[in-house]
Amino acid sequence: MTDKYVEKHDQGWRIKGTRVALDSIIYQFQQGRSPEAIQDAFPALSLSQVYGAIAFYLDHQAELDEYLAHNEDAEEEANKEIARLFPKGAALKARIKRSLPESTK
């Protein structure tokens, strides 16, 4: 998959010429944010880059959803390993997460 706005870098996808992960754009898009609101959250990106990233996602949705699910599974496994190695830190993280409003979790 190649695109004017998106590039594969190592094992992840980024907005071409930036360090912004495509994942970040996709998650915001999935939460219903407009391209303009997404661009406000990532001032390093132009509005056309945001629209291009969304179009790329929509054109490759099945593959990218699989990629995101894989990353989420890997993150969950890493968190479990960290919790095993550092139980006090994991307990603190859980307490902090419980104290956050739902919109920030």
Side-chain angles (χ1 to χ4, degrees):
M1 293 186 280
T2 59
D3 185 79
K4 178 179 177 183
Y5 294 104
V6 178
E7 64 186 354
K8 190 152 192 174
H9 184 8
D10 295 325
Q11 297 301 314
W13 291 94
R14 291 191 181 167
I15 308 307
K16 195 174 276 186
T18 75
R19 295 180 64 191
V20 178
L22 178 60
D23 309 30
S24 301
I25 306 303
I26 294 171
Y27 286 128
Q28 294 221 3
F29 176 70
Q30 289 175 334
Q31 291 172 356
R33 291 196 173 87
S34 70
E36 291 78 10
I38 296 170
Q39 194 270 329
D40 284 344
F42 296 94
L45 300 181
S46 68
L47 190 55
S48 61
Q49 286 174 305
V50 173
Y51 273 102
I54 292 169
F56 182 81
Y57 169 64
L58 294 173
D59 287 345
H60 304 94
Q61 192 167 359
E63 300 100 320
L64 290 170
D65 283 346
E66 186 176 311
Y67 160 77
L68 293 174
H70 176 268
N71 286 353
E72 289 167 5
D73 291 344
E75 182 179 356
E76 186 177 326
E77 288 301 314
N79 285 339
K80 285 179 185 177
E81 181 64 11
I82 290 169
R84 184 185 70 75
L85 294 171
F86 306 101
K88 288 182 182 180
L92 175 61
K93 182 178 177 182
R95 280 197 316 271
I96 291 170
K97 189 171 183 177
R98 283 192 303 270
S99 71
L100 294 174
E102 278 299 314
S103 63
T104 60
K105 290 183 182 175

